[in-house]
Amino acid sequence: MSDIQSLKTEFTKKIKEKINKQELDSIKTELFGKNGKISSLFKNLGNLSADQKKEFASNLNLLKDDLISLINKKFSDLEIQEINNKLKNEKIDVTLPGRTYFNGKIHPVSQVIDEVTSIFSEIGFSVEEGPDVENEYYNFSALNTPENHPARDMHDTFYLDHSKNLLLRTHTSPVQIRTMLKSKPPFKIIAPGRTYRCDSDQTHSPMFHQLEGLHIDRDINMGHLKGCLYYFVKKFFEVDKIKVRFRPSHFPFTEPSAEVDIGYKIEDGKIKIGEGDKWLEILGCGMVHPNVLKNAKVNPKQYQGYAFGVGIDRLAMLKYGINDLRSFFENDIRWLEFYGFDPLDVPTNYRGLSR
Ligand code: PHE
């Protein structure tokens, strides 16, 4: 009996101590293994008298049950502890400040397209697109620029075949025709995109970007054009007052035609938009020529409107002080790191266009 009691005291204590699963396993073997303490006691039962045997066996069974349930309980406690430790180590503190991700930047051209789109969409323009590879008809003829018209030479066109039918569009104006042909007036659209001319220097790149605007309705006049462009330049350059000049010009697809200059000055070596006595051309515009409307199946007696074409890269250079156009397309990661924009700062009119 005293054997049983002392075994119970000894092992209850051992099991309750701070041990791991392996140690618990060896305690189990020490007790119930082939030559374990409890197994040996069971083997010795044979040496006892019948009376002693009965009492001893029942006490021994009680001890065995007690210790086994203690071991099982300890085992599941250890398992729970193990899981909890694992969870604790894998825990993520979601309140920690995030790491800034430095790699991706928005190119100034994409930024300006987003800004301009935001500005025009607020006054009801929707966005259209056209293909970079155009045919001669949409790029020239439909725009009232017939073959042998001198304006064709001025565009330094990249032709893609000998018959001079396929070409890389020299401006975004063919989107005017495509838009009008595919539905019915009124039209109020902008069309940003890539354009191509065989030209390259500090302010010209063989691939550049334009934004076309077209507004056709029953009673649209030059006043609407001016109002729209004033609104645009003020919003875009984020100034309240800006000097804008409409200068008479010529485009085959508009009549009358104008070019728009904005006032600027150089202060401390930096360009300051909106004041001063220097002028910079930023876009071409005019009232859509009746021939263009006819070619696009719009009746010029009922409908009229204005169109404009803005140089997007020019706008980006002016607003963000970048002085070589060619650097836009060199894919220098350090340049983009410096001039690029945060991808999460989407330009909107109400939150601000740029920061
Ligand atoms: N397409 C002209 C250009 O590229 C710009 C323009 C567009 C002028 C629409 C008038 C109207 O120079």
Side-chain angles (χ1 to χ4, degrees):
M1 182 63 214
S2 67
D3 264 359
I4 287 183
Q5 196 51 52
S6 63
L7 266 185
K8 185 170 177 173
T9 323
E10 182 191 345
F11 279 90
T12 307
K13 187 166 168 265
K14 269 193 172 173
I15 292 167
K16 289 194 170 159
E17 264 167 20
K18 202 170 170 232
I19 50 170
N20 60 30
K21 268 189 192 166
Q22 249 175 354
E23 289 163 327
L24 186 65
D25 242 7
S26 42
I27 291 176
K28 200 172 168 185
T29 324
E30 203 181 333
L31 289 169
F32 304 107
K34 216 166 165 205
N35 299 313
K37 298 213 155 115
I38 300 223
S39 317
S40 316
L41 288 176
F42 273 111
K43 275 183 210 154
N44 286 342
L45 278 179
N47 303 332
L48 300 175
S49 68
D51 279 355
Q52 283 175 318
K53 200 193 257 176
K54 204 175 162 197
E55 197 194 337
F56 193 80
S58 100
N59 284 331
L60 194 55
N61 270 321
L62 281 178
L63 173 68
K64 178 186 146 198
D65 291 348
D66 279 355
L67 290 176
I68 282 191
S69 69
L70 270 181
I71 289 174
N72 287 344
K73 166 125 191 0
K74 181 78 175 189
F75 191 81
S76 67
D77 283 353
L78 286 174
E79 291 237 288
I80 290 175
Q81 206 176 27
E82 211 171 73
I83 291 173
N84 281 341
N85 281 343
K86 214 171 155 193
L87 286 176
K88 208 158 130 195
N89 289 336
E90 287 173 2
K91 191 169 122 183
I92 297 169
D93 182 353
V94 290
T95 65
L96 279 177
R99 248 184 301 148
T100 319
Y101 185 63
F102 286 110
N103 286 345
K105 283 284 172 86
I106 301 291
H107 194 285
V109 169
S110 307
Q111 168 78 14
V112 166
I113 291 178
D114 287 349
E115 291 179 21
V116 172
T117 307
S118 165
I119 294 171
F120 280 107
S121 52
E122 194 167 83
I123 52 169
F125 284 81
S126 55
V127 177
E128 285 290 336
E129 276 181 322
D132 289 14
V133 175
E134 261 301 356
N135 58 48
E136 162 298 307
Y137 181 74
Y138 287 121
N139 195 81
F140 291 123
S141 299
L143 287 162
N144 202 31
T145 317
E147 224 174 309
N148 304 323
H149 191 292
R152 286 207 185 193
D153 296 335
M154 274 158 46
H155 278 203
D156 303 309
T157 312
F158 285 114
Y159 287 98
L160 299 176
D161 58 0
H162 286 300
S163 62
K164 292 195 168 179
N165 179 37
L166 281 185
L167 47 82
L168 293 174
R169 65 176 176 190
T170 58
H171 50 181
T172 42
S173 300
V175 187
Q176 290 185 29
I177 306 293
R178 289 182 176 272
T179 304
M180 291 192 277
L181 281 177
K182 97 179 164 195
S183 74
K184 298 238 169 311
F187 302 104
K188 200 173 180 186
I189 61 108
I190 51 169
R194 278 190 274 268
T195 46
Y196 306 82
R197 287 181 205 177
C198 189
D199 207 351
S200 181
D201 61 34
Q202 196 175 344
T203 51
H204 294 92
S205 145
M207 188 282 294
F208 58 105
H209 298 81
Q210 280 193 343
L211 178 107
E212 194 77 9
L214 176 72
H215 185 188
I216 304 287
D217 209 332
R218 288 187 188 268
D219 295 305
I220 300 296
N221 59 47
M222 198 113 180
H224 294 111
L225 168 62
K226 281 185 91 171
C228 171
L229 292 177
Y230 268 114
Y231 158 82
F232 165 65
V233 287
K234 276 201 279 193
K235 281 271 181 184
F236 180 74
F237 289 107
E238 299 174 67
V239 289
D240 292 330
K241 269 178 70 186
I242 188 157
K243 274 169 70 177
V244 180
R245 177 168 82 174
F246 281 72
R247 193 166 28 78
S249 183
H250 176 266
F251 300 102
F253 33 91
T254 45
E255 180 58 39
S257 305
E259 275 170 321
V260 172
D261 303 334
I262 51 172
Y264 75 100
K265 66 177 174 192
I266 306 277
E267 212 175 67
D268 304 328
K270 273 197 186 147
I271 181 161
K272 214 164 169 209
I273 301 291
E275 13 182 322
D277 50 12
K278 292 188 191 310
W279 295 101
L280 238 160
E281 182 201 322
I282 56 161
L283 62 89
C285 62
M287 301 305 292
V288 177
H289 196 291
N291 288 349
V292 174
L293 294 173
K294 274 185 222 153
N295 291 338
K297 310 277 180 275
V298 174
N299 183 349
K301 294 214 167 74
Q302 288 177 342
Y303 288 97
Q304 56 184 334
Y306 59 83
F308 55 86
V310 195
I312 291 181
D313 319 85
R314 263 259 168 118
L315 289 182
M317 289 170 79
L318 285 174
K319 184 162 176 181
Y320 298 113
I322 308 165
N323 54 25
D324 191 339
L325 177 61
R326 288 165 298 191
S327 64
F328 276 60
F329 310 117
E330 274 165 3
N331 273 337
D332 185 332
I333 193 76
R334 294 159 303 177
W335 184 90
L336 195 59
E337 196 63 63
F338 185 80
Y339 286 110
F341 291 81
D342 189 329
L344 299 178
D345 267 346
V346 180
T348 55
N349 295 325
Y350 53 91
R351 261 199 16 220
L353 293 171
S354 58
R355 270 165 237 211

